[in-house]
Amino acid sequence: MFDSTTRTVVVVGAQWGDEGKGKLVDVLAERADWVVRYQGGANAGHTVHIGDKSFILHQIPSGILHPGVRCAIGNGVVMDPETLFTEIDELIADGVDVEGRLYVSERAHLVMPYHKLVDKASAASKAIGTTGRGIGPAYEDKVARRGVRVLDLRNVERLRELVTLGVDRANAQLERSGSDVRASVDETMATLQALAPRLLGLAEDVGLCVHRAIKNGAAILLEGAQGSLLDIDHGTYPFVTSSNTTVGGAATGVGISPMALQSALGVVKAYTTRVGNGPLPTELEEPLQSHVRQLGHEFGATTGRPRRCGWFDGVVVRYAARVNGLTGLAITKLDVLDTLDELAVCTGYKVGNEVYTEFPADLSLLEKAEPVYEWFPGWKQSTQDARSLSDLPAAARAYLDRLESLCETPIAFVSVGTRRDQIIGVHATVA
């Protein structure tokens, strides 16, 4: 993945999130010097399996599991400091050395206790199907220029002013929502002041750190949360997250030039899932939906929510490839399909008498869309021991070949299980 000319790589989800980015980042991080998270919040859940242990990481990049790799949380992240330190303490308890290897952007915005209260009480959040962890309200305050950043913890008087304004606004929203819960300035300040010494000890100008590392020839891996179809600008709006999940968000979310990005790896499942409400054109009917969900253990790492499952949607992934400028694909969870008799791949959407082969922005079209499918025979044997393409059944290779041609992007990796060694490297580089 990294070579003499490819030193800065972005890993991005190319569906609706939960594609297995954490495992890919974990595998690629072994050769990285820095792994930097560029957007999202603590609702993300990257599960990494190492031997008999499973690590669920919400905000800390999964590169932290590799000794010597430096990890950073960029300015594009809205960070929940309470859960951050819970995560750090759990890693330390599991024998992972975090000391001196984790940096937090001083420009990163904080998810405040009152953001969580507002999110949980919001009817709009429930309609969209958010996790209720305060991510949306934190981004809302950021864009409205009333957010609290890590660096604000250095000035207690200024911090109290910001918290007072935030609490007043949050309580007004809670009242309108019909909630009897209220935020408190004093309680919020006490929480922040207890966290401040430890958090400020991690605070850095992350953009400058990464810029210097790039100039010195370091291998940089940038990772985001969610997936391209949840991007605030390019996703299935309004059923999206509150940040730019696509590759363009990597540069702004870390604080480096877009010209520094040299390669973009799009992670996709060999089928499709999404959590929450919103369109999923290839959604499976029951009982196949529940069967695939069980085969793939499709439940949220953070929330435990069941994911909706569908056939692979080539229209979605080709769109993601275009928006992100993907240089390679990583296909995950191929093994989940091992026992199915036949498989479908969506090549277009039929709406009335018209067939759309490009992803439409208008949700009313997606709601009426009937997927146009190509059908493939299943391979009906385990792929979990495959370590090269030649080890895969012919039917599985034919399926992958069609995904590659349909998405107009070369396949760089194929994952056939949860372990680190269950991954096939297809091309030496995707630059």
Side-chain angles (χ1 to χ4, degrees):
M1 193 70 196
F2 294 104
D3 59 27
S4 59
T5 57
T6 304
R7 307 301 291 161
T8 305
V9 176
V10 185
V11 174
V12 63
Q15 293 163 317
W16 276 279
D18 308 310
E19 300 97 345
K21 297 182 294 298
K23 178 187 174 181
L24 260 295
V25 170
D26 174 62
V27 169
L28 297 174
E30 190 174 4
R31 297 188 180 182
D33 298 304
W34 284 79
V35 181
V36 188
R37 169 83 178 274
Y38 63 81
Q39 54 72 232
N43 56 345
H46 289 174
T47 305
V48 179
H49 300 271
I50 302 174
D52 296 330
K53 278 191 176 182
S54 292
F55 296 86
I56 299 177
L57 301 168
H58 305 284
Q59 297 179 101
I60 299 174
S62 42
I64 201 73
L65 300 175
H66 291 274
V69 176
R70 296 185 180 189
C71 294
I73 296 172
N75 57 274
V77 175
V78 290
M79 197 188 61
D80 184 334
E82 291 181 275
T83 61
L84 175 72
F85 290 123
T86 299
E87 200 171 331
I88 289 172
D89 292 340
E90 287 174 354
L91 285 168
I92 293 169
D94 279 326
V96 178
D97 181 18
V98 180
E99 186 70 32
R101 297 175 50 218
L102 180 64
Y103 305 80
V104 174
S105 172
E106 61 184 4
R107 291 179 168 89
H109 282 247
L110 298 178
V111 175
M112 307 292 281
Y114 51 78
H115 289 143
K116 298 177 191 178
L117 297 179
V118 168
D119 204 4
K120 286 171 183 169
S122 167
S125 294
K126 292 185 181 105
I128 292 171
T130 71
T131 57
R133 281 169 164 73
I135 311 300
Y139 272 116
E140 188 178 338
D141 277 359
K142 174 180 178 175
V143 173
R145 301 180 297 279
R146 54 173 177 259
V148 178
R149 297 189 291 174
V150 171
L151 59 84
D152 291 317
L153 298 181
R154 294 177 180 139
N155 186 328
V156 177
E157 289 181 14
R158 169 67 177 154
L159 180 63
R160 181 171 280 275
E161 288 176 16
L162 292 170
V163 167
T164 301
L165 290 170
V167 165
D168 288 347
R169 179 178 173 78
N171 284 340
Q173 289 176 284
L174 289 165
E175 187 174 359
R176 286 195 298 273
S177 298
S179 172
D180 56 3
V181 177
R182 295 292 181 268
S184 158
V185 172
D186 288 340
E187 287 178 14
T188 304
M189 285 296 296
T191 298
L192 292 176
Q193 286 179 291
L195 294 166
R198 197 175 181 191
L199 186 55
L200 289 173
L202 302 176
E204 289 283 352
D205 185 339
V206 164
L208 180 60
C209 291
V210 176
H211 170 74
R212 286 174 172 166
I214 290 171
K215 286 189 74 174
N216 289 328
I220 313 292
L221 189 60
L222 308 180
E223 68 163 343
Q226 292 100 19
S228 299
L229 275 292
L230 293 175
D231 186 282
I232 186 70
D233 287 293
H234 305 293
T236 47
Y237 189 90
F239 299 99
V240 292
T241 193
S242 302
S243 58
N244 288 114
T245 60
T246 42
V247 166
T252 54
V254 174
I256 58 174
S257 166
M259 305 301 287
L261 308 180
Q262 296 168 319
S263 183
L265 180 68
V267 186
V268 295
K269 283 176 181 162
Y271 48 103
T272 309
T273 64
R274 82 170 294 170
V275 172
N277 299 326
L280 181 61
T282 64
E283 189 160 12
L284 299 171
E285 301 286 339
E286 291 292 359
L288 187 56
Q289 163 105 232
S290 293
H291 181 56
V292 171
R293 183 182 295 129
Q294 291 297 329
L295 287 174
H297 306 290
E298 294 296 352
F299 300 91
T302 300
T303 62
R305 289 190 299 176
R307 298 178 186 136
R308 298 157 60 197
C309 299
W311 294 122
F312 188 91
D313 193 329
V315 182
V316 160
V317 180
R318 189 169 63 250
Y319 169 66
R322 170 169 63 83
V323 171
N324 289 293
L326 295 182
T327 53
L329 286 177
I331 309 288
T332 65
K333 291 196 164 186
L334 183 71
D335 56 298
V336 172
L337 306 178
D338 285 351
T339 59
L340 300 185
D341 293 323
E342 57 179 357
L343 311 167
V345 173
C346 175
T347 61
Y349 306 142
K350 188 175 182 183
V351 182
N353 294 320
E354 191 169 354
V355 175
Y356 292 80
T357 56
E358 298 295 343
F359 193 78
D362 190 344
L363 257 61
S364 65
L365 289 175
L366 286 173
E367 286 163 0
K368 300 171 192 168
E370 294 179 25
V372 178
Y373 285 127
E374 288 181 11
W375 289 89
F376 295 80
W379 40 92
K380 303 291 288 179
Q381 65 185 88
S382 175
T383 59
Q384 292 191 358
D385 293 329
R387 294 298 178 269
S388 68
L389 278 184
S390 60
D391 293 337
L392 291 173
R397 293 201 302 273
Y399 180 74
L400 292 172
D401 286 345
R402 183 58 180 133
L403 301 193
E404 185 174 67
S405 65
L406 189 59
C407 301
E408 300 173 355
T409 309
I411 293 174
F413 298 96
V414 178
S415 174
V416 291
T418 59
R419 299 195 314 271
R420 277 179 173 173
D421 66 330
Q422 290 178 304
I423 192 161
I424 298 166
V426 179
H427 297 292
T429 179
V430 295

PDB file of all heavy atoms in Angstrom, residues 74 100 106 113 188 193 208 245 257 286 303 321 346 349 358 383 405:
ATOM      1  N   GLY A  74      -8.196  14.391  14.435  1.00  0.00           N
ATOM      2  CA  GLY A  74      -8.112  15.660  13.725  1.00  0.00           C
ATOM      3  C   GLY A  74      -9.186  16.661  14.118  1.00  0.00           C
ATOM      4  O   GLY A  74     -10.137  16.349  14.842  1.00  0.00           O
ATOM      5  N   GLY A 100       2.243   8.830  24.949  1.00  0.00           N
ATOM      6  CA  GLY A 100       3.095   9.523  23.989  1.00  0.00           C
ATOM      7  C   GLY A 100       2.805   9.216  22.539  1.00  0.00           C
ATOM      8  O   GLY A 100       3.522   9.671  21.649  1.00  0.00           O
ATOM      9  N   GLU A 106      -6.061  20.561  18.857  1.00  0.00           N
ATOM     10  CA  GLU A 106      -6.581  21.612  19.730  1.00  0.00           C
ATOM     11  C   GLU A 106      -7.768  22.324  19.093  1.00  0.00           C
ATOM     12  O   GLU A 106      -8.544  22.989  19.772  1.00  0.00           O
ATOM     13  CB  GLU A 106      -5.473  22.620  20.059  1.00  0.00           C
ATOM     14  CG  GLU A 106      -4.895  23.331  18.851  1.00  0.00           C
ATOM     15  CD  GLU A 106      -3.731  24.250  19.196  1.00  0.00           C
ATOM     16  OE1 GLU A 106      -3.321  24.271  20.372  1.00  0.00           O
ATOM     17  OE2 GLU A 106      -3.240  24.931  18.284  1.00  0.00           O
ATOM     18  N   PRO A 113     -22.036  17.574  27.328  1.00  0.00           N
ATOM     19  CA  PRO A 113     -23.140  16.814  27.936  1.00  0.00           C
ATOM     20  C   PRO A 113     -24.510  17.289  27.462  1.00  0.00           C
ATOM     21  O   PRO A 113     -25.420  16.475  27.260  1.00  0.00           O
ATOM     22  CB  PRO A 113     -22.941  17.063  29.439  1.00  0.00           C
ATOM     23  CG  PRO A 113     -21.469  17.312  29.589  1.00  0.00           C
ATOM     24  CD  PRO A 113     -21.065  18.045  28.343  1.00  0.00           C
ATOM     25  N   THR A 188     -21.714  21.072  34.081  1.00  0.00           N
ATOM     26  CA  THR A 188     -20.937  20.964  32.836  1.00  0.00           C
ATOM     27  C   THR A 188     -19.514  21.464  33.056  1.00  0.00           C
ATOM     28  O   THR A 188     -18.533  20.831  32.608  1.00  0.00           O
ATOM     29  CB  THR A 188     -21.617  21.758  31.704  1.00  0.00           C
ATOM     30  OG1 THR A 188     -22.964  21.304  31.548  1.00  0.00           O
ATOM     31  CG2 THR A 188     -20.873  21.580  30.384  1.00  0.00           C
ATOM     32  N   GLN A 193     -13.688  20.705  33.709  1.00  0.00           N
ATOM     33  CA  GLN A 193     -12.479  21.039  34.464  1.00  0.00           C
ATOM     34  C   GLN A 193     -11.789  19.793  35.018  1.00  0.00           C
ATOM     35  O   GLN A 193     -10.564  19.774  35.168  1.00  0.00           O
ATOM     36  CB  GLN A 193     -12.821  22.034  35.581  1.00  0.00           C
ATOM     37  CG  GLN A 193     -13.085  23.440  35.017  1.00  0.00           C
ATOM     38  CD  GLN A 193     -13.448  24.446  36.098  1.00  0.00           C
ATOM     39  OE1 GLN A 193     -14.515  24.377  36.705  1.00  0.00           O
ATOM     40  NE2 GLN A 193     -12.550  25.391  36.348  1.00  0.00           N
ATOM     41  N   LEU A 208      -0.256  20.679  11.744  1.00  0.00           N
ATOM     42  CA  LEU A 208       1.173  20.984  11.643  1.00  0.00           C
ATOM     43  C   LEU A 208       2.009  19.721  11.839  1.00  0.00           C
ATOM     44  O   LEU A 208       2.990  19.483  11.118  1.00  0.00           O
ATOM     45  CB  LEU A 208       1.551  22.047  12.672  1.00  0.00           C
ATOM     46  CG  LEU A 208       3.024  22.478  12.704  1.00  0.00           C
ATOM     47  CD1 LEU A 208       3.456  23.057  11.362  1.00  0.00           C
ATOM     48  CD2 LEU A 208       3.256  23.495  13.832  1.00  0.00           C
ATOM     49  N   THR A 245     -17.902  12.760   4.991  1.00  0.00           N
ATOM     50  CA  THR A 245     -17.294  11.439   5.166  1.00  0.00           C
ATOM     51  C   THR A 245     -16.420  11.047   3.980  1.00  0.00           C
ATOM     52  O   THR A 245     -15.697  10.058   4.047  1.00  0.00           O
ATOM     53  CB  THR A 245     -18.386  10.376   5.322  1.00  0.00           C
ATOM     54  OG1 THR A 245     -19.191  10.386   4.124  1.00  0.00           O
ATOM     55  CG2 THR A 245     -19.285  10.660   6.511  1.00  0.00           C
ATOM     56  N   SER A 257      -3.090  19.942   3.017  1.00  0.00           N
ATOM     57  CA  SER A 257      -3.529  20.265   1.670  1.00  0.00           C
ATOM     58  C   SER A 257      -4.132  19.046   0.975  1.00  0.00           C
ATOM     59  O   SER A 257      -3.619  17.936   1.116  1.00  0.00           O
ATOM     60  CB  SER A 257      -2.339  20.759   0.844  1.00  0.00           C
ATOM     61  OG  SER A 257      -2.647  20.767  -0.535  1.00  0.00           O
ATOM     62  N   GLU A 286     -37.584 -10.624   3.746  1.00  0.00           N
ATOM     63  CA  GLU A 286     -37.494 -11.699   4.733  1.00  0.00           C
ATOM     64  C   GLU A 286     -37.906 -13.020   4.081  1.00  0.00           C
ATOM     65  O   GLU A 286     -38.694 -13.014   3.143  1.00  0.00           O
ATOM     66  CB  GLU A 286     -38.415 -11.387   5.937  1.00  0.00           C
ATOM     67  CG  GLU A 286     -37.960 -10.213   6.783  1.00  0.00           C
ATOM     68  CD  GLU A 286     -36.656 -10.476   7.545  1.00  0.00           C
ATOM     69  OE1 GLU A 286     -36.101 -11.586   7.429  1.00  0.00           O
ATOM     70  OE2 GLU A 286     -36.201  -9.563   8.234  1.00  0.00           O
ATOM     71  N   THR A 303     -23.832   0.459  19.064  1.00  0.00           N
ATOM     72  CA  THR A 303     -25.217   0.522  19.516  1.00  0.00           C
ATOM     73  C   THR A 303     -25.888  -0.835  19.639  1.00  0.00           C
ATOM     74  O   THR A 303     -26.887  -0.971  20.344  1.00  0.00           O
ATOM     75  CB  THR A 303     -26.053   1.358  18.529  1.00  0.00           C
ATOM     76  OG1 THR A 303     -26.039   0.696  17.239  1.00  0.00           O
ATOM     77  CG2 THR A 303     -25.480   2.758  18.375  1.00  0.00           C
ATOM     78  N   ALA A 321     -17.017   5.847  -5.904  1.00  0.00           N
ATOM     79  CA  ALA A 321     -15.702   5.847  -6.541  1.00  0.00           C
ATOM     80  C   ALA A 321     -15.449   7.172  -7.247  1.00  0.00           C
ATOM     81  O   ALA A 321     -14.339   7.722  -7.195  1.00  0.00           O
ATOM     82  CB  ALA A 321     -15.601   4.690  -7.534  1.00  0.00           C
ATOM     83  N   CYS A 346     -26.775  -5.192  -8.197  1.00  0.00           N
ATOM     84  CA  CYS A 346     -27.595  -4.147  -8.796  1.00  0.00           C
ATOM     85  C   CYS A 346     -26.756  -3.342  -9.792  1.00  0.00           C
ATOM     86  O   CYS A 346     -25.688  -2.841  -9.451  1.00  0.00           O
ATOM     87  CB  CYS A 346     -28.157  -3.239  -7.705  1.00  0.00           C
ATOM     88  SG  CYS A 346     -29.076  -1.819  -8.324  1.00  0.00           S
ATOM     89  N   TYR A 349     -31.263   1.399 -11.558  1.00  0.00           N
ATOM     90  CA  TYR A 349     -32.567   1.553 -10.904  1.00  0.00           C
ATOM     91  C   TYR A 349     -33.614   1.861 -11.972  1.00  0.00           C
ATOM     92  O   TYR A 349     -33.440   2.784 -12.764  1.00  0.00           O
ATOM     93  CB  TYR A 349     -32.568   2.717  -9.904  1.00  0.00           C
ATOM     94  CG  TYR A 349     -31.485   2.676  -8.851  1.00  0.00           C
ATOM     95  CD1 TYR A 349     -30.859   3.853  -8.454  1.00  0.00           C
ATOM     96  CD2 TYR A 349     -31.103   1.485  -8.233  1.00  0.00           C
ATOM     97  CE1 TYR A 349     -29.875   3.857  -7.474  1.00  0.00           C
ATOM     98  CE2 TYR A 349     -30.125   1.475  -7.258  1.00  0.00           C
ATOM     99  CZ  TYR A 349     -29.498   2.667  -6.889  1.00  0.00           C
ATOM    100  OH  TYR A 349     -28.529   2.666  -5.922  1.00  0.00           O
ATOM    101  N   GLU A 358     -26.743   6.043 -12.941  1.00  0.00           N
ATOM    102  CA  GLU A 358     -25.988   6.934 -12.059  1.00  0.00           C
ATOM    103  C   GLU A 358     -26.844   7.238 -10.843  1.00  0.00           C
ATOM    104  O   GLU A 358     -28.063   7.372 -10.948  1.00  0.00           O
ATOM    105  CB  GLU A 358     -25.593   8.229 -12.777  1.00  0.00           C
ATOM    106  CG  GLU A 358     -24.680   8.027 -13.976  1.00  0.00           C
ATOM    107  CD  GLU A 358     -23.299   7.479 -13.608  1.00  0.00           C
ATOM    108  OE1 GLU A 358     -22.921   7.560 -12.415  1.00  0.00           O
ATOM    109  OE2 GLU A 358     -22.620   6.962 -14.503  1.00  0.00           O
ATOM    110  N   THR A 383     -14.629 -19.757   1.943  1.00  0.00           N
ATOM    111  CA  THR A 383     -13.504 -18.974   1.408  1.00  0.00           C
ATOM    112  C   THR A 383     -12.549 -18.529   2.516  1.00  0.00           C
ATOM    113  O   THR A 383     -11.570 -17.843   2.245  1.00  0.00           O
ATOM    114  CB  THR A 383     -14.019 -17.720   0.674  1.00  0.00           C
ATOM    115  OG1 THR A 383     -14.787 -16.920   1.594  1.00  0.00           O
ATOM    116  CG2 THR A 383     -14.884 -18.085  -0.523  1.00  0.00           C
ATOM    117  N   SER A 405     -15.468  -4.458 -12.469  1.00  0.00           N
ATOM    118  CA  SER A 405     -15.800  -3.789 -13.732  1.00  0.00           C
ATOM    119  C   SER A 405     -16.962  -2.821 -13.560  1.00  0.00           C
ATOM    120  O   SER A 405     -16.965  -1.728 -14.125  1.00  0.00           O
ATOM    121  CB  SER A 405     -16.129  -4.822 -14.816  1.00  0.00           C
ATOM    122  OG  SER A 405     -17.299  -5.542 -14.489  1.00  0.00           O
TER     123      SER A 405
END
